Amino acid sequence: MSHNTFGHLFRVTTWGESHGPALGCVVDGCPPGIRFTRDDVQQELDRRRPGQSRFVTQRREPDEVKILSGVIEDGDALVTTGTPISMLIENVDQRSKDYGDIARQYRPGHADYAYEMKYGLRDHRGGGRSSARETAARVAAGAIARRIVPGMVVRGALVSMGEKEIDRANWNWNFVGDPENPFFTPDPVSVPVFADYLDGIRKAGSSVGALIEIVAEGVPAGLGAPIYAKLDQDIASGLMSINAVKGVEIGIGFEAAKITGERNADEMRIGNDGKPVFLSNNAGGILGGISTGQDIVARFAVKPTSSILTPRRSIDRDGNDVDVMTKGRHDPCVGIRAVPIGEAMVACAIADHYLRHRGQTGRQ
Amino acid sequence: MSHNTFGHLFRVTTWGESHGPALGCVVDGCPPGIRFTRDDVQQELDRRRPGQSRFVTQRREPDEVKILSGVIEDGDALVTTGTPISMLIENVDQRSKDYGDIARQYRPGHADYAYEMKYGLRDHRGGGRSSARETAARVAAGAIARRIVPGMVVRGALVSMGEKEIDRANWNWNFVGDPENPFFTPDPVSVPVFADYLDGIRKAGSSVGALIEIVAEGVPAGLGAPIYAKLDQDIASGLMSINAVKGVEIGIGFEAAKITGERNADEMRIGNDGKPVFLSNNAGGILGGISTGQDIVARFAVKPTSSILTPRRSIDRDGNDVDVMTKGRHDPCVGIRAVPIGEAMVACAIADHYLRHRGQTGRQ
Amino acid sequence: MSHNTFGHLFRVTTWGESHGPALGCVVDGCPPGIRFTRDDVQQELDRRRPGQSRFVTQRREPDEVKILSGVIEDGDALVTTGTPISMLIENVDQRSKDYGDIARQYRPGHADYAYEMKYGLRDHRGGGRSSARETAARVAAGAIARRIVPGMVVRGALVSMGEKEIDRANWNWNFVGDPENPFFTPDPVSVPVFADYLDGIRKAGSSVGALIEIVAEGVPAGLGAPIYAKLDQDIASGLMSINAVKGVEIGIGFEAAKITGERNADEMRIGNDGKPVFLSNNAGGILGGISTGQDIVARFAVKPTSSILTPRRSIDRDGNDVDVMTKGRHDPCVGIRAVPIGEAMVACAIADHYLRHRGQTGRQ
Amino acid sequence: MSHNTFGHLFRVTTWGESHGPALGCVVDGCPPGIRFTRDDVQQELDRRRPGQSRFVTQRREPDEVKILSGVIEDGDALVTTGTPISMLIENVDQRSKDYGDIARQYRPGHADYAYEMKYGLRDHRGGGRSSARETAARVAAGAIARRIVPGMVVRGALVSMGEKEIDRANWNWNFVGDPENPFFTPDPVSVPVFADYLDGIRKAGSSVGALIEIVAEGVPAGLGAPIYAKLDQDIASGLMSINAVKGVEIGIGFEAAKITGERNADEMRIGNDGKPVFLSNNAGGILGGISTGQDIVARFAVKPTSSILTPRRSIDRDGNDVDVMTKGRHDPCVGIRAVPIGEAMVACAIADHYLRHRGQTGRQ
């Protein structure tokens, strides 16, 4: 994992700025013979796309993916050849003028100050490389990653927004993708609650954080490795690499710090089919850094968007105190669109470990 | 980060099993001309060493480090030459017979089952490679890492244990290293509370989790990078790579999911000395994956030790239901000794980024 | 160096097939603040471009580079921001029908058979990923790499073609880029000799190999490292990664196997300016894997193009004996256009080590 | 490949100086379940060991290997567990006083000057990290690597020494390991010729270079990848990483630059057993960076040892002209002992690609 590449055998390199002509990714190390369609990728991008409800940024980007290499056509399908898959998405609706005022100011909570300390210069338009637009490339890569591990399904859901949270008793995966559900919540009852709450936030020119849960089903036992290739380590690394993420936990996560060994340990029995059965999943499907065959469960916390209309105290490049108010179009809760991004990162991390495991051990 | 190596320019490779003749690490990429003594390393190891109080495992290991390469002597000091530093610690007190009963059983909460699914075989003695003994090698590497960034100080503290937590109003860094403090707690008032609580846990043959906080002061602004080399990503990766860690957060972490952008954003002003000042540190010293010059703050959750005396339901290699009770010597709260380990991983992650930043940008 | 990425801190990832819509590269880890123009890149591409004389393939590709990210405009110049630089070149003149006959046949000397053994399928059009067109992306990346090390100049020349070789007494770097010189030869006298020789080869439907020499001047002492980061190792790795290269040597190279230590060792003296002077450069500017400050000298052997009009015995996918004759447009001496490619790889390898050296040691 | 680590999935990290207490390696990523004995490793080390004839350095090192981790005992055999294998060799016969005179002088042809330019300091005793003793660790790692690819046999031979070369008509692999053969030559007739020649060199206090050929049989088709993971690239990288190597070639190598496409291309036919047969092996078993199933053939040139008794002109650290004569014990032809080292590097490179290929494609 270095600079702009994620993964070891299944490697994703992303590039592109918010206000440049395009952004994209190169997916390297994909096995040959994987079948998919351009639509498979586009559908994932559409889930993350801005401008789809009043609860996300009003920037209008079609986010149409072009697949430039690494596949051959076979009827309507594409088949991977084992060579790098380059995908490109053009930026269409960049309004750089929105950012004129803040070219020399550091927006609180943004990367502006840190960037300038690092590079000595920055592309201030839309945050440049630190824009959430970069995550479109991850989602495209994730659409390929989802096809690597046979039988794996990776799904995500928003489980809380600011002070409001779902009722897990109502969890319904099918509802997450419902067109009437602008929040990726699995709880139908939560929709009007989140809608009212976020309308208030939005109208106040404010923003709010969120908590996302990702579940990967169908992951075989044995992926990962004991020390610096722990599966949970690389999932955490992938999720923490998403903009605005401030915390990651696996299984019961921070709750594990509070309980005893008796309560925490997931007991096992031989099931009726003669196969091992776990009686609980506090571990989130990973023990000693290696998958157990249970569902992989990870959660991550997304901070509130730093671009808000309320003026905040800050400084400028010349060393003056200033008050900063961000006028650009922004998500009042960037955590909503983080759901497909989190899924993509988990899919990429697991796909990579699937190939690594197969490489080292010869097991499939 | 792959297999058993952590880091990109400052690279740590660890090796060794709990019940083999020795364990150790190779620290590669260390700058030349770094001065330290063997005692500097030994003192860090002594902080993590087992057998020092009734609250940690009674295994007696002197953990004496041998430094085999990468340094030249200069009086009492050692000076790094820029070549790999190999450090070795002999295992002395391995009692393999303690593990005889569980050679064919999978201990709930341990990596036993996952290991066998991965490798088809395992070294069951003391958990083999997944033993907490491996972390001694990390602490030795961290002792070198601490010297890479001029002026950096990395300290850690246990902030909660099971249901008990410290009072932050009593925070005293000096007390953390006090000989009367067997818990690395920064709150003197908490010592008898933790002691009573853990005595109860220990006598019940149980175990409990803990929460650790690591603070790195003196980290210059500009370390890290926007996408897959985020400083917080690599700190999270390092902390999640420690045995039994189930969650990591930066700054206010999961709390950020609950609040608004106004509350979250750390405002700035020009200080009396003409330098930028942050008015809060919700971000934990990292914005957009890049350090801001504020203190780096990370917390991680350690699950309760899975080795407990209470029998738990499990299965064996032959597909039988069994009840497992672990008789080996174990920490009732493995989170205590995780404090110096967490410090080591944070020091290694920051040292690596310091070198990478200097490499890419030429800034020091 | 893995899959399709070259380099450690200065990382180049290339993608694209000969007969897909486009090819390109992502240059990651470039320092911020490097100034260049689109023309700087285009001029390097023009040197490698096909169709410029009767001695190279008649495929007509404008090879116009688009720079999609990683830079901000400053007047006519571009300035790197430290983020990944994505460059794209569209394929214009792909004639897939030329390859119809060989879809199921393995061309001797080509990668066809090996590809199919690896991936189970292949993109036969123009060799797919193994086409020499991929090298355009390397040349674009090299144009950036050339600007990383202050004062470095990397130049290359063809020193022999088949049975014909230059007279080193006539070496004239300025002549290499002369418009009347279609061979990148540094010896003006050799032009008619090479022209006659290659006309004969070309008219016979044959092809011939060549030897290329690359010289990097202005490389500071201290780049590289003793064991697996040897500067000559990574230069050799980069040159061997070019299609059709079968051998690499540094300095006097294979000649060193034949001589004594007295003759081989480059003696030193303090020069009139008080600085160290080497009295010869048998080492090619590298000792113990580390640059000495002398010119870096590397040579590589390019095999004859395997696409020839003379029928050769081979087999097809169905296990039949067949005779193969390649009708596509090809270079009679692919070694000619290998000159700018070799320069690019040497520039990339040295740029990477410059950043790594600065990272580890803090020296610039 | 970075710093002191070689390989991507099968990773070898070496450490240790010529005159420190020990040297060793960590082999990471080895598949579980590989059986070998400590003697298997020791025998390889014994082939490389100094002090075995008057033609190699008279330093007496038993080079006894200790295997510290990554294996479990199964009767007399060791079985790999999939965790890192740490191997250690103690230095016994280091005579640092031999080097007293040259602490401040730069030996021509050695890395002394380059080291000091890089690190600002150096361990002058025996060359420190650049000593040929480091290669013992590679040979130990290679002994494991040889067992990864089922059926693979890697052998090497010295094919020329200075002005003398073998007669390939006499090639006899069995003779290479003959106790009466101190040169690893495959040509029995060459022994007295090399012996006389090298006696003359040795008595004159001189040294001489050599050419080594490595052949890997039983390598399956499909290993390697088209661009920056070419099998020949990584073999070249591994061989160039050996001390004193100045050139590498694959198959007919530099000869390919001189011939036509007709002569170079290896034709194919379906054999009597219905399997593909190559009619020649100019490619050295690799096409387009991918193995073809033919023997892998690589050659590398080793320069003459720079440590010679004849005084050479040089400078010292204080900027004075000096004459340098090296008194330490040295190999008059370091190329002899390079044979098992070259084998080890080729075995490691192929083992790594075997695992990578299995990982990406699922083929074994």
Side-chain angles (χ1 to χ4, degrees):
Chain A
M1 337 277 170
S2 91
H3 298 322
N4 294 278
T5 297
F6 182 75
H8 197 78
L9 280 190
F10 183 86
R11 295 164 73 82
V12 178
T13 301
T14 74
W15 57 268
E17 276 81 38
S18 169
H19 285 64
L23 57 86
C25 66
V26 181
V27 176
D28 196 8
C30 184
I34 305 282
R35 295 179 74 86
F36 67 104
T37 66
R38 194 194 150 281
D39 258 11
D40 291 334
V41 181
Q42 191 62 50
Q43 281 171 23
E44 291 299 323
L45 285 167
D46 290 347
R47 295 174 65 215
R48 193 215 69 100
R49 193 150 49 90
Q52 302 190 102
S53 82
R54 69 182 185 275
F55 302 111
V56 296
T57 175
Q58 293 309 299
R59 179 168 173 169
R60 298 279 168 181
E61 289 288 353
D63 276 356
E64 286 182 9
V65 66
K66 292 181 185 172
I67 300 174
L68 298 175
S69 67
V71 294
I72 48 178
E73 294 177 12
D74 183 15
D76 288 343
L78 301 173
V79 179
T80 61
T81 59
T83 61
I85 303 166
S86 176
M87 295 190 281
L88 182 145
I89 296 162
E90 286 176 10
N91 285 325
V92 171
D93 183 23
Q94 59 278 56
R95 291 195 210 154
S96 295
K97 63 183 180 308
D98 279 348
Y99 294 93
D101 294 348
I102 55 167
R104 302 189 65 79
Q105 299 178 344
Y106 303 126
R107 292 167 296 169
H110 270 95
D112 300 346
Y113 175 74
Y115 252 66
E116 198 138 335
M117 291 302 102
K118 181 171 196 73
Y119 297 120
L121 52 82
R122 70 186 158 98
D123 183 350
H124 67 277
R125 299 164 303 169
R129 184 72 178 137
S130 66
S131 161
R133 273 201 68 63
E134 181 270 344
T135 56
R138 302 171 182 234
V139 170
I144 312 286
R146 288 169 189 272
R147 278 156 185 78
I148 307 296
V149 184
M152 179 178 76
V153 175
V154 180
R155 296 187 290 196
L158 181 144
V159 295
S160 78
M161 179 195 296
E163 300 156 2
K164 309 294 180 187
E165 62 186 87
I166 64 159
D167 181 347
R168 285 179 172 265
N170 299 334
W171 195 294
N172 177 354
W173 276 120
N174 290 332
F175 182 69
V176 174
D178 191 293
E180 301 300 302
N181 177 359
F183 302 117
F184 295 103
T185 171
D187 172 10
V189 179
S190 71
V191 170
V193 181
F194 285 154
D196 281 357
Y197 179 67
L198 197 54
D199 269 333
I201 294 286
R202 186 171 55 86
K203 287 170 184 168
S206 184
S207 64
V208 74
L211 189 64
I212 316 298
E213 182 165 317
I214 310 290
V215 178
E217 296 167 76
V219 178
L223 309 195
I227 307 301
Y228 297 126
K230 284 190 165 76
L231 181 58
D232 36 359
Q233 174 187 15
D234 285 341
I235 286 174
S237 175
L239 293 174
M240 285 294 290
S241 77
I242 301 172
N243 310 27
V245 174
K246 299 303 285 184
V248 178
E249 60 183 3
I250 305 293
I252 58 166
F254 278 84
E255 181 69 16
K258 298 182 184 163
I259 64 174
T260 63
E262 286 79 5
R263 277 191 49 208
N264 181 64
D266 300 312
E267 295 183 291
M268 301 181 77
R269 275 293 180 248
I270 298 294
N272 293 333
D273 58 355
K275 292 181 182 168
V277 178
F278 285 91
L279 308 183
S280 57
N281 188 14
N282 294 325
I286 302 174
L287 285 171
I290 301 171
S291 63
T292 61
Q294 288 193 281
D295 289 354
I296 308 284
V297 181
R299 269 178 307 283
F300 61 102
V302 181
K303 72 177 185 182
T305 321
S306 299
S307 298
I308 48 179
L309 290 174
T310 314
R312 308 305 292 163
R313 289 173 289 176
S314 188
I315 62 172
D316 67 14
R317 298 188 63 182
D318 305 313
N320 304 309
D321 285 348
V322 294
D323 284 354
V324 174
M325 189 179 77
T326 316
K327 287 190 221 143
R329 299 154 296 173
H330 297 288
D331 290 277
C333 176
V334 75
I336 297 171
R337 296 201 290 136
V339 174
I341 305 164
E343 291 173 12
M345 294 315 297
V346 170
C348 287
I350 297 174
D352 186 36
H353 276 282
Y354 178 79
L355 302 185
R356 292 162 74 172
H357 173 67
R358 184 162 75 180
Q360 189 186 2
T361 69
R363 298 173 169 226
Q364 312 219 15
Chain B
M1 338 275 168
S2 90
H3 298 322
N4 294 278
T5 297
F6 183 75
H8 197 78
L9 280 189
F10 184 85
R11 295 164 73 83
V12 178
T13 301
T14 74
W15 56 269
E17 277 80 39
S18 170
H19 285 64
L23 57 86
C25 66
V26 181
V27 177
D28 195 8
C30 184
I34 304 283
R35 296 179 73 86
F36 68 105
T37 67
R38 194 193 149 282
D39 259 12
D40 291 334
V41 181
Q42 191 61 52
Q43 281 171 23
E44 291 299 324
L45 284 167
D46 290 347
R47 295 175 67 214
R48 193 214 70 100
R49 192 150 49 90
Q52 301 189 102
S53 82
R54 69 181 185 275
F55 302 111
V56 296
T57 174
Q58 294 308 299
R59 179 166 171 170
R60 299 281 169 179
E61 289 287 352
D63 276 355
E64 286 181 8
V65 65
K66 293 181 185 173
I67 300 174
L68 299 175
S69 67
V71 295
I72 48 179
E73 294 178 12
D74 183 15
D76 289 343
L78 302 172
V79 179
T80 62
T81 59
T83 60
I85 303 166
S86 175
M87 295 190 280
L88 182 145
I89 297 162
E90 287 175 10
N91 285 324
V92 171
D93 183 23
Q94 57 281 56
R95 290 196 212 153
S96 295
K97 63 183 180 311
D98 280 349
Y99 295 93
D101 295 347
I102 54 167
R104 303 188 64 79
Q105 300 177 343
Y106 304 126
R107 292 166 295 168
H110 270 94
D112 300 346
Y113 175 73
Y115 252 66
E116 198 137 336
M117 290 302 102
K118 180 172 196 73
Y119 297 120
L121 52 82
R122 71 187 158 98
D123 183 351
H124 67 276
R125 298 163 303 169
R129 185 72 179 136
S130 66
S131 161
R133 272 201 69 62
E134 181 269 347
T135 57
R138 302 172 182 233
V139 169
I144 312 286
R146 288 170 188 272
R147 277 155 185 79
I148 308 295
V149 184
M152 179 178 76
V153 175
V154 180
R155 295 187 291 199
L158 181 144
V159 295
S160 77
M161 179 194 295
E163 300 156 3
K164 308 294 181 187
E165 62 187 84
I166 63 159
D167 181 348
R168 284 179 173 265
N170 299 334
W171 195 293
N172 177 354
W173 276 120
N174 291 331
F175 181 68
V176 174
D178 191 293
E180 300 300 301
N181 177 359
F183 302 117
F184 295 103
T185 171
D187 171 10
V189 178
S190 70
V191 170
V193 180
F194 286 153
D196 281 356
Y197 179 67
L198 198 53
D199 270 334
I201 294 286
R202 187 170 56 85
K203 287 171 184 167
S206 183
S207 64
V208 75
L211 188 65
I212 315 298
E213 182 165 317
I214 309 291
V215 179
E217 296 167 74
V219 177
L223 308 194
I227 307 299
Y228 296 125
K230 285 190 165 76
L231 182 57
D232 35 0
Q233 173 186 14
D234 285 341
I235 287 174
S237 175
L239 293 174
M240 285 295 290
S241 77
I242 301 171
N243 311 28
V245 173
K246 299 303 285 184
V248 178
E249 59 183 3
I250 304 293
I252 59 167
F254 278 84
E255 180 69 16
K258 299 183 184 160
I259 63 173
T260 63
E262 285 79 5
R263 276 190 51 207
N264 182 64
D266 300 313
E267 296 184 293
M268 300 181 77
R269 276 292 179 248
I270 298 294
N272 293 332
D273 59 355
K275 292 183 183 166
V277 179
F278 286 91
L279 308 183
S280 57
N281 188 14
N282 293 326
I286 302 175
L287 285 171
I290 303 171
S291 64
T292 61
Q294 287 193 282
D295 288 354
I296 308 284
V297 180
R299 267 179 308 283
F300 60 101
V302 181
K303 72 177 186 183
T305 321
S306 299
S307 299
I308 48 179
L309 290 174
T310 313
R312 308 304 292 162
R313 289 174 288 175
S314 188
I315 62 173
D316 67 14
R317 297 188 65 181
D318 305 314
N320 304 308
D321 285 348
V322 293
D323 284 353
V324 175
M325 188 179 76
T326 316
K327 287 190 220 140
R329 300 153 295 173
H330 297 286
D331 291 275
C333 177
V334 76
I336 297 171
R337 296 201 290 136
V339 173
I341 304 164
E343 292 173 11
M345 294 315 297
V346 170
C348 287
I350 298 174
D352 186 36
H353 276 281
Y354 178 79
L355 302 185
R356 292 163 74 172
H357 173 67
R358 184 163 75 180
Q360 189 185 2
T361 69
R363 299 175 168 223
Q364 314 219 13
Chain C
M1 336 274 171
S2 89
H3 299 320
N4 294 277
T5 298
F6 183 74
H8 197 78
L9 280 189
F10 184 86
R11 295 164 73 84
V12 178
T13 300
T14 75
W15 57 269
E17 277 79 40
S18 171
H19 285 65
L23 58 87
C25 66
V26 181
V27 177
D28 195 7
C30 184
I34 305 283
R35 296 179 74 84
F36 68 104
T37 66
R38 193 193 150 283
D39 259 11
D40 290 335
V41 182
Q42 191 61 53
Q43 281 171 24
E44 290 300 323
L45 284 167
D46 290 347
R47 294 176 66 215
R48 193 214 71 99
R49 190 149 51 89
Q52 301 191 102
S53 81
R54 69 181 184 275
F55 302 112
V56 296
T57 175
Q58 292 309 297
R59 179 167 172 170
R60 298 281 167 178
E61 289 288 353
D63 277 356
E64 285 182 8
V65 66
K66 292 181 185 175
I67 300 174
L68 297 175
S69 68
V71 295
I72 48 178
E73 293 178 13
D74 184 15
D76 290 343
L78 302 172
V79 180
T80 61
T81 58
T83 61
I85 303 166
S86 176
M87 296 190 281
L88 181 145
I89 297 162
E90 287 176 9
N91 285 325
V92 171
D93 182 23
Q94 58 277 57
R95 291 195 209 153
S96 295
K97 63 183 182 307
D98 279 350
Y99 294 93
D101 296 347
I102 54 169
R104 304 188 64 80
Q105 300 178 344
Y106 303 126
R107 293 167 295 167
H110 271 94
D112 300 346
Y113 175 73
Y115 253 65
E116 199 138 335
M117 291 301 103
K118 181 172 197 70
Y119 297 120
L121 52 81
R122 70 187 158 96
D123 183 352
H124 67 277
R125 298 163 303 169
R129 185 73 179 135
S130 66
S131 160
R133 274 202 66 63
E134 181 270 345
T135 56
R138 302 171 182 235
V139 169
I144 312 286
R146 288 170 188 273
R147 277 156 185 79
I148 307 296
V149 185
M152 179 177 77
V153 175
V154 180
R155 296 186 290 197
L158 181 145
V159 295
S160 76
M161 178 195 294
E163 299 157 2
K164 309 294 180 185
E165 63 185 85
I166 63 158
D167 181 347
R168 284 179 172 265
N170 299 334
W171 195 294
N172 176 357
W173 277 120
N174 291 330
F175 183 68
V176 173
D178 191 293
E180 301 299 303
N181 177 359
F183 302 117
F184 294 103
T185 171
D187 171 11
V189 178
S190 71
V191 171
V193 180
F194 285 154
D196 281 357
Y197 179 67
L198 197 54
D199 270 334
I201 294 286
R202 186 171 55 84
K203 288 171 184 166
S206 183
S207 64
V208 74
L211 189 64
I212 315 298
E213 182 165 318
I214 309 290
V215 178
E217 296 168 75
V219 177
L223 309 194
I227 307 300
Y228 297 125
K230 284 190 166 75
L231 181 58
D232 34 0
Q233 174 186 13
D234 284 342
I235 287 174
S237 175
L239 294 174
M240 286 295 290
S241 77
I242 301 172
N243 311 26
V245 173
K246 298 304 285 184
V248 178
E249 60 183 3
I250 304 293
I252 58 167
F254 278 84
E255 180 69 16
K258 299 183 184 162
I259 63 174
T260 63
E262 286 79 6
R263 277 190 52 208
N264 181 64
D266 300 312
E267 295 184 292
M268 300 181 78
R269 275 293 179 246
I270 297 294
N272 293 332
D273 59 356
K275 292 181 182 166
V277 179
F278 286 91
L279 309 182
S280 57
N281 189 14
N282 293 325
I286 303 174
L287 285 171
I290 301 171
S291 64
T292 62
Q294 288 194 283
D295 289 355
I296 307 286
V297 181
R299 267 179 307 282
F300 61 101
V302 180
K303 73 177 184 183
T305 321
S306 298
S307 298
I308 48 179
L309 290 174
T310 313
R312 308 305 292 164
R313 289 174 288 175
S314 188
I315 62 173
D316 68 14
R317 296 188 66 181
D318 305 314
N320 303 308
D321 286 348
V322 293
D323 284 354
V324 175
M325 187 179 78
T326 317
K327 287 190 219 141
R329 299 154 297 173
H330 296 286
D331 291 276
C333 176
V334 76
I336 296 171
R337 295 201 290 136
V339 173
I341 305 164
E343 292 173 11
M345 295 313 299
V346 169
C348 286
I350 298 174
D352 186 36
H353 275 282
Y354 178 78
L355 301 185
R356 292 162 74 172
H357 173 68
R358 184 161 77 179
Q360 189 185 4
T361 68
R363 298 174 169 224
Q364 314 218 14
Chain D
M1 338 277 168
S2 91
H3 299 320
N4 294 278
T5 298
F6 182 75
H8 197 78
L9 280 189
F10 184 86
R11 294 164 74 83
V12 178
T13 301
T14 74
W15 57 269
E17 278 79 39
S18 171
H19 285 63
L23 57 87
C25 67
V26 181
V27 176
D28 196 7
C30 184
I34 304 282
R35 295 180 73 84
F36 68 104
T37 66
R38 194 193 149 281
D39 259 11
D40 291 334
V41 181
Q42 191 61 52
Q43 281 170 23
E44 291 299 324
L45 284 167
D46 289 347
R47 295 175 65 215
R48 194 215 70 100
R49 192 150 50 91
Q52 301 188 103
S53 81
R54 70 182 184 274
F55 302 112
V56 295
T57 175
Q58 293 309 297
R59 180 167 171 169
R60 299 282 168 178
E61 289 288 352
D63 277 356
E64 286 181 10
V65 66
K66 293 181 186 174
I67 300 174
L68 298 175
S69 66
V71 294
I72 48 179
E73 294 178 13
D74 183 15
D76 288 344
L78 302 173
V79 179
T80 61
T81 59
T83 61
I85 303 166
S86 175
M87 295 191 279
L88 181 145
I89 297 162
E90 287 176 10
N91 285 324
V92 171
D93 183 21
Q94 57 282 54
R95 291 193 211 156
S96 295
K97 63 183 180 310
D98 279 350
Y99 294 92
D101 296 346
I102 56 167
R104 303 189 65 79
Q105 300 178 344
Y106 304 126
R107 292 166 296 169
H110 271 94
D112 300 346
Y113 176 73
Y115 252 66
E116 198 137 335
M117 291 302 103
K118 180 171 197 73
Y119 297 119
L121 51 82
R122 71 186 157 97
D123 183 351
H124 68 276
R125 297 163 303 168
R129 184 75 177 133
S130 66
S131 161
R133 273 202 68 63
E134 181 270 345
T135 57
R138 302 172 181 234
V139 169
I144 312 286
R146 288 169 188 272
R147 275 153 187 81
I148 307 295
V149 185
M152 179 178 76
V153 175
V154 180
R155 296 186 291 197
L158 181 145
V159 295
S160 77
M161 180 195 294
E163 299 158 2
K164 308 295 180 186
E165 62 185 86
I166 64 158
D167 181 348
R168 285 179 172 264
N170 298 335
W171 195 293
N172 176 354
W173 277 119
N174 290 332
F175 183 67
V176 174
D178 191 294
E180 301 300 301
N181 176 359
F183 302 117
F184 295 102
T185 171
D187 171 11
V189 179
S190 71
V191 170
V193 181
F194 286 153
D196 281 357
Y197 179 67
L198 198 54
D199 270 334
I201 294 285
R202 186 171 56 87
K203 287 170 185 168
S206 184
S207 65
V208 74
L211 189 64
I212 316 299
E213 182 165 317
I214 309 291
V215 178
E217 296 168 74
V219 177
L223 308 195
I227 308 298
Y228 297 125
K230 284 190 165 77
L231 181 58
D232 36 358
Q233 173 187 13
D234 285 341
I235 288 174
S237 175
L239 294 174
M240 284 296 289
S241 78
I242 301 171
N243 311 27
V245 173
K246 299 303 285 183
V248 178
E249 60 183 1
I250 304 293
I252 59 166
F254 278 84
E255 181 70 16
K258 299 183 185 162
I259 63 174
T260 63
E262 285 80 4
R263 276 191 50 208
N264 181 64
D266 300 312
E267 296 183 290
M268 300 180 78
R269 275 293 179 249
I270 298 294
N272 293 332
D273 58 357
K275 293 183 182 166
V277 179
F278 286 92
L279 309 183
S280 57
N281 189 13
N282 294 326
I286 302 174
L287 285 171
I290 301 170
S291 63
T292 61
Q294 288 194 283
D295 289 354
I296 308 285
V297 181
R299 268 180 306 284
F300 61 101
V302 181
K303 72 177 185 183
T305 321
S306 299
S307 298
I308 49 178
L309 290 174
T310 314
R312 308 305 292 164
R313 290 174 288 175
S314 189
I315 62 173
D316 67 16
R317 297 188 65 181
D318 305 313
N320 303 309
D321 286 348
V322 293
D323 284 353
V324 175
M325 189 179 76
T326 317
K327 287 190 217 141
R329 300 154 295 173
H330 297 286
D331 291 275
C333 176
V334 76
I336 297 171
R337 295 201 289 136
V339 173
I341 305 164
E343 292 173 10
M345 294 314 298
V346 169
C348 287
I350 297 174
D352 186 37
H353 276 281
Y354 178 79
L355 302 185
R356 292 163 74 171
H357 173 68
R358 185 162 75 179
Q360 188 184 3
T361 69
R363 300 174 167 225
Q364 312 219 16

